[in-house]
Each structure stands twice: as structure tokens, then as C-alpha cells.
């Protein structure tokens, strides 16, 4: 079983819909990051979380440390939000290594 | 301020050869991390450097090595290339000394094809 699981793997939605992408992990973590990767490969860091909730524009990220779960929400989705969204956790132990989820491929239809 | 740059952007090598990839971080950033991305395995962590010191290393064979220079620029080297090394190699820089607590800025990547 992967230490970081994302769901769904693929998501197609209509423009304007509210989107939720989930990330569950099985290890103790010091931080969780959400990344966005557009076709062509460029990766942008969206959020860095260790507790609670963060908001940036139409994007909201939450984390529940006790339940080992994080969600990324997109409100009023737009075709330009089409990308792969990747959850990454930093393990809380001596090595603090980063582990990535497999990503969620989001396609927003106009 | 210029972003993270990686050279070359594309590279084709044959099995058994070696390759060196270069990463120039954002000016002022002292931490550089390297990642490998393949369709099958997704993103995997290779190395993390801070102030010329390797702080962390992923689970890759010894054929994968790297270093960081005093100007924070970093290189990674892969010797005795195998077909499975074909991947997108990404570099990311951050301001602080720990990638876990800092925003990482990613370069465009080097796409390596091994024939």
C-alpha cells in the first residue's frame, strides 16, 4: 500500500463546479504540500500545510493531522484549472524525506 | 527575478553512457532538491542540498550522484545509464534550509531519453 494515496485519480467536471481532491497518508508528517503540474511538465507549489486551512484565490486546502487526511478544493472551476494536482508529504522522522502521491488529473470542460 | 533554470532541456543518450544535468536556483536560494518523474512511478525524491552539503538522499542506486557549488548551483550525474533512467528530471530551489517548511520553486525539467 502506498504511503500517500490520492483520490480520485481522474476527474472531469463542468466549468463552474466545486472540485474536491483528497489525499490520505499513513505516516507521521511534518508538512504537506499541494502541487500543480500543467501539461508540458511545469510544477507550481500551491500550498504548504502543517495544520488547519489555507486559502488562495479560488483554491482552499485543509489538513486534519489526526485523521491523516488533506483536501484541496477549487471553487468556481475554470478550464485553466485543468492540470495534475499532486499531494506531497514530508515524513516526520530523522530523514524528513518527501513522498509524493500519484496525482489527480483534473479536466474542466467549458 | 529569474526562475529556476535547468540545462539541457532535452537529452538523448544510449545505455551505458553517463550524463550530467545542471540546475541554477533562484538568486538567493540556498537549498536545491532533485526529483525524477516517470509515468509509472510518478515523482520520486533524489537529493536535497543546502550550502554545498547533501542533507538527504532518496532510494536510488549509487549511479545517481549530485553536488552543489558555493554559488548554490547544483549538478546531478547518472553513470552507466539504463533504459529505466528515461524520465523528466526536475530541480527545485527554496530559500530556507528545509524543503519541508519552505515553498519550493520548480524548474522546467530536463527530459532524458535513454536508447
Amino acid at each position: 500500500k502506498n504511503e500517500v494515496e490520492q483520490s480520485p485519480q481522474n476527474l472531469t467536471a463542468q466549468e463552474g463546479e466545486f472540485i474536491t481532491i483528497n489525499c490520505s497518508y499513513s505516516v507521521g508528517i511534518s508538512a504537506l504540500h499541494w502541487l500543480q503540474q500543467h501539461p508540458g511538465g511545469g510544477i507550481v507549489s500551491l500550498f504548504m500545510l502543517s495544520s488547519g486551512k489555507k486559502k488562495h484565490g479560488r483554491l482552499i486546502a485543509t489538513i486534519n493531522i489526526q485523521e491523516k487526511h488533506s483536501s484541496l478544493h477549487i471553487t468556481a472551476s475554470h478550464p485553466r484549472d485543468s492540470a495534475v494536482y499532486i499531494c506531497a508529504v514530508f515524513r516526520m522522522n530523522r530523514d524528513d524525506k518527501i513522498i509524493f502521491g500519484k496525482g489527480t488529473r483534473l479536466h474542466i470542460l467549458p | 527575478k529569474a526562475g529556476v533554470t535547468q540545462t539541457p532541456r532535452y537529452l538523448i543518450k544510449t545505455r551505458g553512457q553517463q550524463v550530467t544535468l545542471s540546475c541554477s536556483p533562484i538568486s538567493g536560494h540556498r537549498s536545491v532538491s532533485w526529483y525524477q518523474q516517470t509515468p509509472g512511478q510518478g515523482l520520486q525524491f533524489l537529493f536535497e542540498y543546502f550550502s554545498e552539503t547533501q542533507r538527504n538522499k532518496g532510494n536510488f542506486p549509487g549511479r545517481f550522484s549530485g553536488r552543489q557549488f558555493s554559488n548554490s548551483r547544483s549538478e546531478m550525474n547518472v553513470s552507466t545509464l539504463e533504459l529505466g533512467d528515461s524520465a523528466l528530471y526536475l530541480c527545485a530551489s527554496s530559500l530556507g534550509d528545509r524543503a519541508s517548511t519552505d515553498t519550493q520553486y520548480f524548474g522546467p525539467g530536463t527530459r532524458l531519453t535513454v536508447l
Side-chain angles (χ1 to χ4, degrees):
Chain A
K1 189 179 187 299
N2 293 329
E3 292 171 295
V4 180
E5 296 277 0
Q6 283 187 239
S7 63
Q9 288 186 327
N10 296 284
L11 179 57
T12 299
Q14 290 293 138
E15 183 175 356
E17 285 190 38
F18 181 81
I19 303 297
T20 296
I21 298 170
N22 297 297
C23 175
S24 296
Y25 51 91
S26 57
V27 296
I29 69 168
S30 57
L32 181 146
H33 292 216
W34 280 101
L35 310 173
Q36 179 193 56
Q37 185 170 31
H38 278 283
I43 293 180
V44 174
S45 179
L46 297 174
F47 293 103
M48 182 175 58
L49 297 161
S50 55
S51 64
K53 176 179 177 179
K54 287 190 176 180
K55 184 175 189 293
H56 185 254
R58 294 180 295 105
L59 273 57
I60 303 166
T62 64
I63 188 168
N64 185 317
I65 297 293
Q66 287 72 32
E67 294 185 4
K68 291 186 164 63
H69 182 268
S70 175
S71 292
L72 176 68
H73 305 287
I74 305 175
T75 62
S77 58
H78 189 275
R80 65 174 174 265
D81 297 325
S82 297
V84 176
Y85 293 84
I86 301 167
C87 167
V89 304
F90 286 84
R91 288 199 310 220
M92 182 194 293
N93 58 21
R94 287 179 303 166
D95 62 17
D96 201 29
K97 284 183 184 171
I98 185 171
I99 310 168
F100 295 93
K102 296 295 188 188
T104 294
R105 187 174 299 275
L106 175 65
H107 186 42
I108 303 296
L109 300 170
Chain B
K1 200 181 259 192
V4 178
T5 57
Q6 292 187 244
T7 56
R9 292 291 311 279
Y10 302 90
L11 203 50
I12 299 175
K13 293 285 188 179
T14 56
R15 278 182 298 173
Q17 287 187 309
Q18 76 164 23
V19 66
T20 298
L21 311 182
S22 181
C23 171
S24 292
I26 290 173
S27 178
H29 285 195
R30 295 164 65 192
S31 182
V32 173
S33 297
W34 287 91
Y35 303 98
Q36 181 197 63
Q37 187 176 37
T38 59
Q41 298 297 321
L43 274 166
Q44 294 182 279
F45 168 69
L46 281 160
F47 320 101
E48 180 185 359
Y49 288 92
F50 178 76
S51 291
E52 301 178 69
T53 301
Q54 186 179 92
R55 298 192 68 246
N56 227 328
K57 187 177 189 302
N59 298 325
F60 279 80
R63 301 185 296 105
F64 291 79
S65 63
R67 57 180 175 168
Q68 186 181 33
F69 302 97
S70 58
N71 61 359
S72 293
R73 191 177 70 85
S74 179
E75 288 181 349
M76 65 163 283
N77 184 277
V78 187
S79 62
T80 319
L81 284 165
E82 300 177 359
L83 295 179
D85 297 333
S86 294
L88 181 66
Y89 290 87
L90 292 153
C91 156
S93 74
S94 54
L95 189 59
D97 63 345
R98 302 195 77 87
S100 61
T101 56
D102 215 352
T103 298
Q104 291 195 76
Y105 295 85
F106 286 79
T110 293
R111 186 163 297 280
L112 171 65
T113 302
V114 181
L115 302 176

